[in-house]
Amino acid sequence: MNTLKNIVYVMLCSLLFAGCDDVEFLNLKRDNPLDEKNNANMKDGVALKFDSYNVYSDNNDDGIINKGETIKLNICIKNNGTSTAESVKVNFSTTSQYISNLTPTTAINYGDIAAGSVKWYQYESYYVIQFSVSNSTPANTKIPISLSITDGNGNSFNDSFDVPVSATGANVIYNSFNVYSDNNSDGIINKGESVRLNVSLKNTGTSMAKAVKATFSTTSSYVSGFTPTSQVNYGDITAYGVKWADYQGNNGTYEGYAYYYTVKFTVSSSTPTNTQIPISISIVDESNNTWSASFSVTVE
Ligand SMILES: [Ca+2]
Ligand SMILES: [Ca+2]
């Protein structure tokens, strides 16, 4: 008899729990942000939150946030409530050590936001905040932006979102050199000559490299008087672009040809024929992106 009693007991329990959906007190409160139906934060029929952002401007104009850039963002706010949010104001801030000069620091007026609607500051292709990203920011760092939102009825809402800092899309490499001058003017590097070379760089990346500088050096024991040892300016190099060095405000080219020189050096008169002279290039842009390149010239 005990066995039968136990079976009946187990069946009754199963029926009770199978019907849990209908038992009010057993239902836990759901919070699924993906269905956008969570009104747990609704106050006076208003529920304000971050919706989306877009990059209005950045230094190299690729719409991607990179280290060393000054960024302007527009930010869209959503009212998930059932009533119009009146006189919405938003204050933006960040705790990121990689961000400086986030402005404005005062609350920004978004005006009224209708129920179920989104609203950009002013208009979508504009900006609401500006900040500088440190040029020491590691790639893939996420910058947290906090929003403190209020409405005209004194209700307040807090939200936040992350903006990613991506590695630069630029990639600068050595492209080519030409002999600008040599002693016997045959355009060939011979032993005992003082040689002046022009050197072009290429950006093989998909984004512009800004304010590129290159430092040239050689370890060859056959070379003396290698100058300059200081940085040479190349200016901005567009995606897929080739550039000769900049000289004193002009871009060092005329109808695509270099008309000045980048480096000069003297080749020892004891240099064996077919000696390779290696030249290293240390490249940096305004955001402290760095690239190493090299090429060699042959003494004939
Ligand atoms: Ca960028
Ligand atoms: Ca020569």
PDB file of all heavy atoms in Angstrom, residues 182 184 186 188-190 193, ligand 2:
ATOM      1  N   ASP A 182      74.952  61.567 -58.005  1.00  0.00           N
ATOM      2  CA  ASP A 182      76.173  60.829 -57.700  1.00  0.00           C
ATOM      3  C   ASP A 182      77.315  61.544 -58.408  1.00  0.00           C
ATOM      4  O   ASP A 182      77.077  62.431 -59.236  1.00  0.00           O
ATOM      5  CB  ASP A 182      76.062  59.363 -58.140  1.00  0.00           C
ATOM      6  CG  ASP A 182      75.848  59.225 -59.645  1.00  0.00           C
ATOM      7  OD1 ASP A 182      74.937  59.916 -60.165  1.00  0.00           O
ATOM      8  OD2 ASP A 182      76.576  58.453 -60.287  1.00  0.00           O
ATOM      9  N   ASN A 184      79.650  60.964 -60.778  1.00  0.00           N
ATOM     10  CA  ASN A 184      79.840  60.993 -62.233  1.00  0.00           C
ATOM     11  C   ASN A 184      78.517  61.040 -62.989  1.00  0.00           C
ATOM     12  O   ASN A 184      78.473  60.833 -64.202  1.00  0.00           O
ATOM     13  CB  ASN A 184      80.713  59.820 -62.703  1.00  0.00           C
ATOM     14  CG  ASN A 184      80.039  58.471 -62.468  1.00  0.00           C
ATOM     15  OD1 ASN A 184      78.981  58.400 -61.839  1.00  0.00           O
ATOM     16  ND2 ASN A 184      80.658  57.411 -62.978  1.00  0.00           N
ATOM     17  N   ASP A 186      76.009  59.195 -63.487  1.00  0.00           N
ATOM     18  CA  ASP A 186      75.474  58.112 -64.323  1.00  0.00           C
ATOM     19  C   ASP A 186      74.279  57.423 -63.661  1.00  0.00           C
ATOM     20  O   ASP A 186      73.736  56.454 -64.191  1.00  0.00           O
ATOM     21  CB  ASP A 186      76.568  57.090 -64.686  1.00  0.00           C
ATOM     22  CG  ASP A 186      77.147  56.387 -63.476  1.00  0.00           C
ATOM     23  OD1 ASP A 186      76.735  56.727 -62.326  1.00  0.00           O
ATOM     24  OD2 ASP A 186      78.005  55.500 -63.657  1.00  0.00           O
ATOM     25  N   ILE A 188      74.329  55.639 -61.162  1.00  0.00           N
ATOM     26  CA  ILE A 188      74.742  54.345 -60.591  1.00  0.00           C
ATOM     27  C   ILE A 188      75.639  54.623 -59.389  1.00  0.00           C
ATOM     28  O   ILE A 188      76.482  55.542 -59.430  1.00  0.00           O
ATOM     29  CB  ILE A 188      75.488  53.513 -61.659  1.00  0.00           C
ATOM     30  CG1 ILE A 188      74.511  53.120 -62.786  1.00  0.00           C
ATOM     31  CG2 ILE A 188      76.135  52.272 -61.047  1.00  0.00           C
ATOM     32  CD1 ILE A 188      75.197  52.553 -64.011  1.00  0.00           C
ATOM     33  N   ILE A 189      75.469  53.834 -58.343  1.00  0.00           N
ATOM     34  CA  ILE A 189      76.250  54.043 -57.123  1.00  0.00           C
ATOM     35  C   ILE A 189      77.590  53.313 -57.283  1.00  0.00           C
ATOM     36  O   ILE A 189      77.635  52.089 -57.438  1.00  0.00           O
ATOM     37  CB  ILE A 189      75.466  53.528 -55.899  1.00  0.00           C
ATOM     38  CG1 ILE A 189      74.140  54.298 -55.775  1.00  0.00           C
ATOM     39  CG2 ILE A 189      76.298  53.675 -54.624  1.00  0.00           C
ATOM     40  CD1 ILE A 189      73.159  53.685 -54.791  1.00  0.00           C
ATOM     41  N   ASN A 190      78.662  54.098 -57.282  1.00  0.00           N
ATOM     42  CA  ASN A 190      80.007  53.525 -57.431  1.00  0.00           C
ATOM     43  C   ASN A 190      80.818  53.773 -56.159  1.00  0.00           C
ATOM     44  O   ASN A 190      80.523  54.692 -55.403  1.00  0.00           O
ATOM     45  CB  ASN A 190      80.731  54.170 -58.616  1.00  0.00           C
ATOM     46  CG  ASN A 190      79.955  54.057 -59.920  1.00  0.00           C
ATOM     47  OD1 ASN A 190      79.466  55.060 -60.447  1.00  0.00           O
ATOM     48  ND2 ASN A 190      79.817  52.848 -60.436  1.00  0.00           N
ATOM     49  N   GLU A 193      82.002  57.411 -54.249  1.00  0.00           N
ATOM     50  CA  GLU A 193      81.094  58.513 -54.598  1.00  0.00           C
ATOM     51  C   GLU A 193      80.320  59.027 -53.374  1.00  0.00           C
ATOM     52  O   GLU A 193      80.059  58.293 -52.424  1.00  0.00           O
ATOM     53  CB  GLU A 193      80.070  58.056 -55.655  1.00  0.00           C
ATOM     54  CG  GLU A 193      80.675  57.869 -57.040  1.00  0.00           C
ATOM     55  CD  GLU A 193      79.601  57.687 -58.110  1.00  0.00           C
ATOM     56  OE1 GLU A 193      78.570  57.039 -57.842  1.00  0.00           O
ATOM     57  OE2 GLU A 193      79.809  58.215 -59.216  1.00  0.00           O
TER      58      GLU A 193
HETATM   59 CA    CA B   2      77.974  56.826 -60.323  1.00  0.00          CA
END
